[in-house]
């Protein structure tokens, strides 16, 4: 029996995530989410007019939860926690990155997807910049702003995820260990004042 229309948007997003993981993006429909949540399709349409809106809400939710969790760590743990969070979503079967890159590809011809994705990426960059500011204070390399560091780190994480999606035997553990070492080295440069 269908539940009344009192189900929240956040609860529907959780059911949508579960549906996406179980069925894959190819078989993901608003109807399948409604069935999993035990609500009518009208309830889904009340909160999300299109499948794309719901998929974007999933990406936004995952990103917000991740950055909230990372931001709650103290500055000393930020780097390790951020690396661990990125690594946890990085695999050959990563539902999050399959979804993210599918939406990116769709956005090239659809401004209704492109604009919200742009906002999500901008929010991620801002979170990185804020956390880097707390960690480093200023850039460890003169002439490279914290804004550029945020963009660069975001691009590195997405680039690693893309390679992991394409290569079944991609060395995720080793790659992220070395990325963490790279950023720790930049932090040491800043601490030693060798950035000039």
């Amino acid at each position: 029996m269908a539940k009344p229309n009192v189900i929240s948007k956040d609860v529907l997003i959780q059911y949508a995530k579960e549906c996406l993981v179980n069925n894959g993006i190819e078989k993901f429909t608003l109807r399948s989410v409604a069935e999993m949540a035990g609500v009518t399709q009208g309830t889904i349409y009340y909160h999300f007019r299109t499948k794309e809106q719901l998929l974007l809400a999933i990406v936004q939710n995952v990103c917000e939860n991740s950055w909230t969790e990372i931001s709650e760590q103290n500055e000393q743990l930020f780097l390790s926690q951020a690396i661990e969070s990125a690594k946890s979503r990085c695999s050959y079967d990563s539902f999050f990155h399959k979804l993210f890159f599918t939406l990116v590809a769709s956005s090239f011809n659809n401004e209704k997807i492109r604009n919200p994705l742009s906002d999500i990426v901008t929010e991620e960059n801002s979170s990185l910049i804020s956390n880097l500011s707390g960690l480093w204070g200023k850039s460890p390399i003169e002439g490279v702003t914290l804004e550029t560091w945020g963009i660069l780190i975001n691009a590195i994480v997405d680039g690693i995820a893309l390679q992991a999606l394409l290569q079944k035997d991609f060395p995720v553990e080793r790659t992220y260990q070395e990325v963490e070492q790279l950023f720790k080295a930049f932090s040491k440069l800043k601490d030693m004042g060798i950035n000039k």
Side-chain angles (χ1 to χ4, degrees):
M1 173 156 218
K3 295 177 184 170
N5 288 348
V6 295
I7 195 165
S8 74
K9 195 173 194 175
D10 289 334
V11 170
L12 284 176
I13 290 170
Q14 297 311 312
Y15 279 115
K17 283 185 202 176
E18 187 178 334
C19 188
L20 192 58
V21 169
N22 292 342
N23 300 338
I25 197 162
E26 301 81 19
K27 296 179 183 175
F28 182 84
T29 64
L30 295 180
R31 176 180 289 191
S32 63
V33 174
E35 288 172 3
M36 183 163 279
V39 298
T40 65
Q41 265 188 274
T43 299
I44 304 293
Y45 285 116
Y46 175 78
H47 292 287
F48 306 99
R49 296 282 178 221
T50 65
K51 174 177 151 177
E52 290 76 17
Q53 280 184 346
L54 180 51
L55 292 172
L56 285 164
I58 293 170
V59 170
Q60 179 76 34
N61 180 268
V62 169
C63 291
E64 285 176 355
N65 288 341
S66 176
W67 284 110
T68 298
E69 182 179 308
I70 291 168
S71 295
E72 290 173 353
Q73 299 297 319
N74 71 41
E75 291 170 4
Q76 305 306 321
L77 295 176
F78 162 71
L79 185 60
S80 296
Q81 185 67 28
I83 294 286
E84 195 57 41
S85 177
K87 186 173 66 175
S88 73
R89 293 183 303 207
C90 185
S91 70
Y92 187 70
D93 295 320
S94 169
F95 103 88
F96 172 78
H97 282 104
K98 282 182 184 178
L99 170 59
F100 179 74
F101 290 121
T102 298
L103 288 171
V104 167
S106 296
S107 78
F108 297 144
N109 297 310
N110 185 336
E111 291 297 316
K112 289 181 181 180
I113 298 173
R114 182 179 266 185
N115 293 333
L117 272 181
S118 174
D119 292 343
I120 291 169
V121 170
T122 299
E123 285 177 41
E124 283 191 324
N125 291 343
S126 294
S127 290
L128 278 163
I129 294 162
S130 175
N131 282 291
L132 288 172
S133 179
L135 180 66
W136 290 341
K138 66 177 189 166
S139 175
I141 298 178
E142 192 172 313
V144 180
T145 64
L146 289 177
E147 290 81 9
T148 297
W149 279 109
I151 292 166
L152 179 62
I153 292 169
N154 206 0
I156 289 170
V157 168
D158 288 341
I160 292 170
L162 181 59
Q163 291 186 54
L165 283 172
L166 296 174
Q167 301 174 37
K168 200 169 214 164
D169 59 348
F170 183 81
V172 173
E173 282 293 326
R174 187 193 79 223
T175 301
Y176 272 107
Q177 284 174 350
E178 292 177 13
V179 166
E180 185 170 6
Q181 291 306 311
L182 177 69
F183 287 108
K184 284 181 178 179
F186 284 126
S187 294
K188 286 179 186 174
L189 283 176
K190 185 201 164 300
D191 293 341
M192 294 184 324
I194 304 178
N195 63 343
K196 297 182 181 182

